[in-house]
Amino acid sequence: MSAPLPTDPERGSAAAAEADALALVHLSHLVRDTFTRVAERHDLTPVQARMLCVLAERPHGMAELARLFGVGKANLTGLVDRAAQRRLVERSLVPGDRRAVHVTLTEDGRRSALAFHESVTEELGGLLAPLAPQARADLRRSAVAIAEAAGTPGAPPGHQAC
């Protein structure tokens, strides 16, 4: 059960700041729960789904993926191993650097990433259904402003809805 969100801006800046923070937390939980539910429907863990979305843009090196996911190389290796066993990704050596490995989507991985992306985009879009077009535009502008203020200019890696 979530606490009601205070909405009266006259209550003071501390109350408004708390209401803003609660609204962001509530939205983040809503998006995370939707993402998780859709991933499970596609027989993916949320981390696997995110990895497929990141790799749908382009192949990535193992070190780069570890940095994007904020995990150590051992944890990432396990994630990639499990995805490779499911034939969703494959590893390839980087020409000229015998220690570097790129991770690439297989055709099955590309199909899974696309199906997941379409499903999660549809579900997240459905959450916006109650908003008028101008409110949607305001939300997009606000999200960009928040991301930029947090030091994430533009869209982050894996910027698709998934």
Side-chain angles (χ1 to χ4, degrees):
M1 181 118 193
S2 60
L5 299 177
T7 56
D8 184 1
E10 299 301 317
R11 290 181 51 204
S13 62
E18 182 177 345
D20 292 346
L22 286 172
L24 282 174
V25 168
H26 183 70
L27 278 177
S28 74
H29 288 301
L30 187 59
V31 170
R32 184 200 61 220
D33 292 348
T34 300
F35 193 92
T36 299
R37 189 175 54 258
V38 173
E40 288 172 355
R41 258 196 344 250
H42 286 268
D43 195 29
L44 299 166
T45 67
V47 175
Q48 287 172 334
R50 183 172 171 226
M51 182 175 68
L52 294 182
C53 291
V54 167
L55 293 173
E57 292 182 342
R58 65 176 174 81
H60 285 69
M62 293 286 284
E64 185 180 15
L65 285 173
R67 192 172 46 258
L68 284 172
F69 284 86
V71 299
K73 288 182 183 179
N75 288 340
L76 182 72
T77 298
L79 174 64
V80 172
D81 284 347
R82 288 184 293 281
Q85 288 169 354
R86 294 186 57 193
R87 296 180 179 14
L88 298 173
V89 301
E90 60 189 9
R91 294 179 180 95
S92 60
L93 296 176
V94 175
D97 186 349
R98 61 188 174 99
R99 294 182 303 161
V101 174
H102 268 142
V103 181
T104 308
L105 289 179
T106 62
E107 282 307 311
D108 285 348
R110 191 159 303 287
R111 280 191 295 276
S112 291
L114 179 61
F116 174 76
H117 172 73
E118 289 172 352
S119 293
V120 80
T121 298
E122 182 179 334
E123 287 222 14
L124 290 173
L127 295 175
L128 300 176
L131 299 180
Q134 184 59 50
R136 287 179 182 218
D138 291 343
L139 175 63
R140 285 190 297 273
R141 279 191 296 280
S142 296
V144 167
I146 292 167
E148 287 177 351
T152 309
H159 70 274
Q160 303 170 359
C162 64

